[in-house]
Structure formats: structure tokens, C-alpha cells
Amino acid sequence: MNAIATTDPIDTPSASSESDERTMAAVAHGLTFFEGGLIGPLILYFVKKDESDFVAFHALQSLYFGLAFLLLTTITCGLGALIFVAAVHGP
């Protein structure tokens, strides 16, 4: 009897599906720079969340980055506006 274990080809991901997952994860991150990182990654997450944990993870990472960037931009621009108004109108 042969002791070599064989794997079922259905259980192992093919190289093309792994490549497709990596490409979709890169698209999720790339969308952050084109549209702000909110809508694109969110859509990609809802489309791929049941198909690929890898893509869903990276889409959520991109979405969280977009949200953090939006929050920090709002805070810094708000503080900058307050400082500018205080400087222009003076005491």
C-alpha cells in the first residue's frame, strides 16, 4: 500500500484563483487613491465577502484607511479653519 497522501484538486486553490484574489485585494487598496477609499472598497467588500476572506479583509482594511483619512482631514482642516479665522479677525 502506498503511504503518500494525495490531495483533492477541488480543495486546493488554483494559481489563477489565488492571483485573482491578490489582484482584487490590490484593486481595493488602489480605489482608495482614486475615489477617497469609501465607496469602492465597501462595494468590493459586499461583492466578495462570501467568496474570499482574503479580498474581504483587504477591502475592509482599505475602507478603514479611508475612514481614518477622512476623520484626520476633517480634524486638521477644522483646526486650520479656526486658526485662520482667529488670525484674520484678531482680538
Side-chain angles (χ1 to χ4, degrees):
M1 194 164 222
N2 193 353
I4 298 174
T6 59
T7 59
D8 188 7
I10 295 173
D11 293 337
T12 57
S14 67
S16 66
S17 70
E18 185 176 320
S19 176
D20 290 343
E21 287 183 352
R22 289 182 181 175
T23 301
M24 292 305 291
V27 166
H29 288 288
L31 286 172
T32 300
F33 298 104
F34 288 108
E35 56 81 32
L38 299 176
I39 305 300
L42 187 63
I43 291 171
L44 192 59
Y45 171 74
F46 282 121
V47 169
K48 294 290 186 177
K49 71 178 179 178
D50 295 328
E51 295 175 29
S52 170
D53 290 336
F54 183 76
V55 175
F57 172 77
H58 284 279
L60 283 177
Q61 261 191 336
S62 181
L63 178 65
Y64 293 152
F65 176 80
L67 289 171
F69 186 76
L70 177 67
L71 179 68
L72 289 174
T73 301
T74 303
I75 290 170
T76 55
C77 288
L79 289 176
L82 289 174
I83 292 169
F84 177 74
V85 168
V88 168
H89 291 291

